[in-house]
């Protein structure tokens, strides 16, 4: 009976260890996602700075274009327009990249939320199992304590009935077995 209790206790401890390992793995995944999220945010910030620079450059080129118009230089005007169109194309590319980064960030944030929920779920499971194990230990101690009480009573009764009859000897034998069980239960007190 003691071996079975130890096996159950060992199995419970192994389950708790496995749940804690799962919880640790989820925590590592969560940290990896956060690191990727930070890298994407940095990339987004750099893209936004580049976009600002390009917009400033467009403004500068547009100012330059106005100067060229006032000079009536057709050749310079065409070159400036070509650069403006090129810059507008780059701006559109950067805006598309920016939107893509924003989409990835939203996706990673949603994934992070799901992983946080799973992490909390596994932590709750570990807490619940710890509570159940605590209750089981309390009950085992109560049974062991009760066996100790029975052992004392068994000693008294075995001395009283051992000498009286066959029935008394059977009862004394049974009481001795109770006594043996109480000795085996002492480590649980």
């Amino acid at each position: 009976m003691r071996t079975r209790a130890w096996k159950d206790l060992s199995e419970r401890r192994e389950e708790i260890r496995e749940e804690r390992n799962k919880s640790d793995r989820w925590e590592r995944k969560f940290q990896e996602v956060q690191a990727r999220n930070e890298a994407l945010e940095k990339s987004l910030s750099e893209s936004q700075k580049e976009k600002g620079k390009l917009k400033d450059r467009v403004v500068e080129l547009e100012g330059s274009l106005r100067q060229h118009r006032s000079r009536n230089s057709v050749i310079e005007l065409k070159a400036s327009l070509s650069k403006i169109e090129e810059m507008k194309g780059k701006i559109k590319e950067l805006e598309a990249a920016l939107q893509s980064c924003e989409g990835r960030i939203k996706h990673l944030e949603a994934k992070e939320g799901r992983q946080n929920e799973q992490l909390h779920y596994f932590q709750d499971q570990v807490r619940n199992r710890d509570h159940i194990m605590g209750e089981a230990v309390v009950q085992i101690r109560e049974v062991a304590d009760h066996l100790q009480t029975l052992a004392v009573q068994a000693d008294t009764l075995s001395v009283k009935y051992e000498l009286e009859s066959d029935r008394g000897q059977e009862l004394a034998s049974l009481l001795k077995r109770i006594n043996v069980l109480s000795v085996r239960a002492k480590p649980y007190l």
Side-chain angles (χ1 to χ4, degrees), residues 61-62 64-65 68 74-86:
L61 288 173
E62 286 173 346
S64 177
L65 177 62
H68 288 292
V74 176
I75 296 172
E76 291 178 3
L77 181 62
K78 287 182 181 180
S80 294
L81 283 173
S82 173
K83 285 185 178 181
I84 288 172
E85 290 303 318
E86 183 182 324

Side-chain angles (χ1 to χ4, degrees), residues 16-174:
I16 289 170
R17 230 179 276 119
E18 288 174 9
E19 290 299 327
R20 283 189 180 141
N21 288 340
K22 285 181 186 177
S23 178
D24 290 344
R25 283 193 299 273
W26 281 110
E27 182 67 29
R28 284 192 297 275
K29 284 182 182 180
F30 172 73
Q31 289 172 355
E32 289 172 8
V33 167
Q34 274 188 323
R36 277 189 252 139
N37 192 14
E38 289 171 5
L40 284 172
E41 286 176 355
K42 183 178 178 184
S43 174
L44 174 64
S45 174
E46 290 172 4
S47 295
Q48 288 172 337
K49 287 177 187 177
E50 184 68 22
K51 180 181 175 183
K53 288 178 184 177
L54 288 174
K55 283 185 179 183
D56 291 343
R57 181 72 176 135
V58 166
V59 169
E60 180 183 321
L61 288 173
E62 286 173 346
S64 177
L65 177 62
R66 280 190 291 277
Q67 287 177 353
H68 288 292
R69 278 186 183 161
S70 66
R71 291 181 194 162
N72 289 326
S73 173
V74 176
I75 296 172
E76 291 178 3
L77 181 62
K78 287 182 181 180
S80 294
L81 283 173
S82 173
K83 285 185 178 181
I84 288 172
E85 290 303 318
E86 183 182 324
M87 290 297 182
K88 284 181 179 179
K90 286 184 179 180
I91 289 172
K92 286 181 182 179
E93 288 175 13
L94 287 172
E95 285 176 341
L98 177 64
Q99 287 177 349
S100 174
C101 287
E102 288 172 346
R104 285 190 283 181
I105 287 171
K106 286 179 184 177
H107 173 74
L108 288 172
E109 286 172 347
K111 191 174 180 180
E112 177 183 355
R114 288 190 302 272
Q115 287 177 344
N116 279 338
E117 288 173 8
Q118 288 177 334
L119 176 64
H120 292 300
Y121 170 77
F122 287 126
Q123 287 172 339
D124 287 343
Q125 279 189 330
V126 168
R127 277 193 290 276
N128 288 341
R129 288 197 177 158
D130 285 346
H131 176 72
I132 290 169
M133 290 297 291
E135 288 180 4
V137 168
V138 168
Q139 290 177 2
I140 288 170
R141 286 186 176 151
E142 287 175 1
V143 167
D145 188 43
H146 187 67
L147 275 173
Q148 291 297 313
T149 304
L150 287 176
V152 170
Q153 292 173 355
D155 281 341
T156 305
L157 291 173
S158 68
V159 169
K160 180 178 179 183
Y161 291 111
E162 192 171 272
L163 302 173
E164 290 185 8
S165 67
D166 288 341
R167 193 76 130 157
Q169 288 177 355
E170 286 177 28
L171 182 57
S173 173
L174 176 63

